[in-house]
Amino acid sequence: MSGTKRWSWRKSVWFDEDSMWVRLNDARVIGVPLTWFPRLLNATKKELEQYELSAFGIHWEHLDEDISVEGLLAGQGDLSTAPTKVA
């Protein structure tokens, strides 16, 4: 068995101009900036709303984006590209 935890979801994922918000079944709300996920940042409102929830996270088939609840809780953004070095 993998170390990935399964999550029970309420169907609560929503977006504002700058952020994605996720409500977990224990009533916690996670807010992350869309800049963490360039595919989501560049998506239309309609594209953002076309997600699927699983026991592990959120999936956008047409955007080729998968975000795990574990990753959100760990403060991880898009891991598919190398981080930009600053200073």
Side-chain angles (χ1 to χ4, degrees), residues 9 15 62-63 71:
W9 286 86
F15 300 88
H62 59 288
L63 295 175

Side-chain angles (χ1 to χ4, degrees), residues 19 23 57 72 74 77:
S19 302
R23 182 180 309 276
L72 291 175

Side-chain angles (χ1 to χ4, degrees), residues 4-13 22-30 53-58 68-70 73:
T4 304
K5 184 174 179 176
R6 294 178 64 94
W7 293 90
S8 296
W9 286 86
R10 289 185 180 174
K11 291 190 178 186
S12 292
V13 176
V22 179
R23 182 180 309 276
L24 300 178
N25 65 337
D26 62 6
R28 285 182 288 175
V29 176
I30 304 167
L53 299 176
S54 74
F56 302 104
I58 313 163
S68 72
V69 174
E70 272 188 5
L73 290 171

Side-chain angles (χ1 to χ4, degrees), residues 36-39 63-67 76-83:
W36 284 13
F37 303 100
R39 290 181 190 116
L63 295 175
D64 191 28
E65 184 70 83
D66 292 284
I67 299 175
Q76 296 175 338
D78 183 357
L79 300 177
S80 66
T81 59

